[in-house]
Amino acid sequence: ERPDWCTLTVDGSAACCMRIESPKRLRNGGWLHRLRDDDDWRGRPRVRRVILTTKHMSVADFGRLAEQYASAVTPSMLHALASRLGVAPEALARLRIGWDGSAWTFPMSDSAGRVTGIRRRFLDGRKLSVKGGHEGLFVPTDLPADGLVLIAEGPTDTAALLTLGFDAVGRPSCRGGVGLVCDLVRDRPAVIVADGDRPGQLGAEILAVALAAQCPSVRVIRPPSGINDARAWLRSGATARHVRAVIDAADSVHLGIKTKAASC
């Protein structure tokens, strides 16, 4: 009866629980529990998870793989993860979240919208990427072509900003995707939401200088002291009005001027 960790077979005949033991231990550390005593339970065909080779995958292949993973996410899975992360299910759906059988997946795109890679987020918090792909941005569907855009680090922080009602995109890391972000948000006012740690702030400064050459305004903000990132900020009770006030109080970044992130 917990919304996290446990997994259910597609036909509902069995579950893997990470907390309650059974005679059958599974390789992921959980235990198998049969939920039905159907006579044909043992006779059903085994469903195998197929891992595609990614050595020679094209951009189109990554797009199809992302769609395949997205189709594996049921509404109940989506709502359970959203509750666990503290974001809106709709925000995760806009980021085209998927499930590959072992990890949650987020497609990474170039500035033209082509899927170039897939980020995997495991249940224990580990983050890896599907081999053969390239670094990209976490871009939600239906992102407007103009107007203010917020830039976060990673897909779940991007989901937090989308939950608050902002247009947002995500970088692959604190220093990654600079050129892709510049191409995507060119000629738009931009706000970089930096993580509270030093690497996040340094990465935000580097991106801000790059964006200042081609955006009408660039601002850098960060969560209040003691809160590391946008998702934690949302979970602490931040509202859109609160974040907007921090944005309005931040100075615009100009070329040649060292940035200083505004916070609460």
Side-chain angles (χ1 to χ4, degrees):
E1 301 301 328
R2 299 293 290 272
D4 58 339
W5 283 11
C6 299
T7 53
L8 186 70
T9 58
V10 175
D11 63 4
S13 63
C16 168
C17 183
M18 306 300 290
R19 298 180 178 84
I20 301 176
E21 298 183 12
S22 78
K24 178 64 174 178
R25 188 70 183 266
L26 300 176
R27 287 186 298 175
N28 67 350
W31 290 268
L32 178 69
H33 295 266
R34 289 178 56 183
L35 305 180
R36 291 206 306 257
D37 291 323
D38 298 355
D39 292 337
D40 63 340
W41 188 84
R42 293 184 182 275
R44 288 197 180 101
R46 297 181 63 184
V47 178
R48 295 182 299 169
R49 182 166 58 91
V50 178
I51 303 298
L52 301 180
T53 176
T54 58
K55 185 176 181 180
H56 302 294
M57 285 180 62
S58 67
V59 169
D61 292 330
F62 271 97
R64 286 191 290 268
L65 188 60
E67 291 178 3
Q68 174 186 326
Y69 291 157
S71 66
V73 179
T74 65
S76 60
M77 291 170 62
L78 181 65
H79 282 77
L81 179 63
S83 176
R84 178 182 173 189
L85 296 176
V87 300
E90 296 78 12
L92 294 175
R94 289 186 64 192
L95 291 170
R96 296 171 289 174
I97 190 170
W99 174 254
D100 67 5
S102 299
W104 296 102
T105 62
F106 293 91
M108 294 184 288
S109 306
D110 61 17
S111 56
R114 297 173 298 187
V115 177
T116 58
I118 298 175
R119 175 70 55 82
R120 305 177 74 203
R121 180 189 177 96
F122 291 85
L123 300 180
D124 61 6
R126 289 180 299 125
K127 302 176 183 68
L128 297 173
S129 295
V130 174
K131 293 181 179 180
H134 299 283
E135 181 179 81
L137 305 178
F138 303 104
V139 183
T141 58
D142 302 323
L143 182 71
D146 54 16
L148 179 70
V149 61
L150 274 58
I151 304 159
E153 180 183 329
T156 59
D157 281 356
T158 305
L161 298 176
L162 293 173
T163 299
L164 288 169
F166 293 100
D167 293 327
V169 298
R171 306 174 68 182
S173 63
C174 62
R175 295 201 180 194
V178 173
L180 294 174
V181 173
C182 289
D183 289 341
L184 184 66
V185 306
R186 187 185 305 272
D187 299 325
R188 299 180 63 169
V191 174
I192 303 168
V193 184
D195 280 5
D197 56 19
R198 186 60 180 159
Q201 294 174 42
L202 289 174
E205 291 178 5
I206 293 170
L207 178 59
V209 172
L211 288 175
Q214 53 195 28
C215 291
S217 70
V218 179
R219 301 180 184 187
V220 180
I221 67 171
R222 65 171 182 245
S225 177
I227 299 177
N228 187 60
D229 54 34
R231 185 163 65 88
W233 198 4
L234 173 63
R235 291 173 69 94
S236 72
T239 64
R241 178 179 293 183
H242 189 186
V243 175
R244 173 64 72 172
V246 177
I247 293 172
D248 293 341
D251 294 329
S252 292
V253 175
H254 300 284
L255 288 175
I257 298 179
K258 187 176 182 179
T259 63
K260 183 177 181 181
S263 62
C264 300

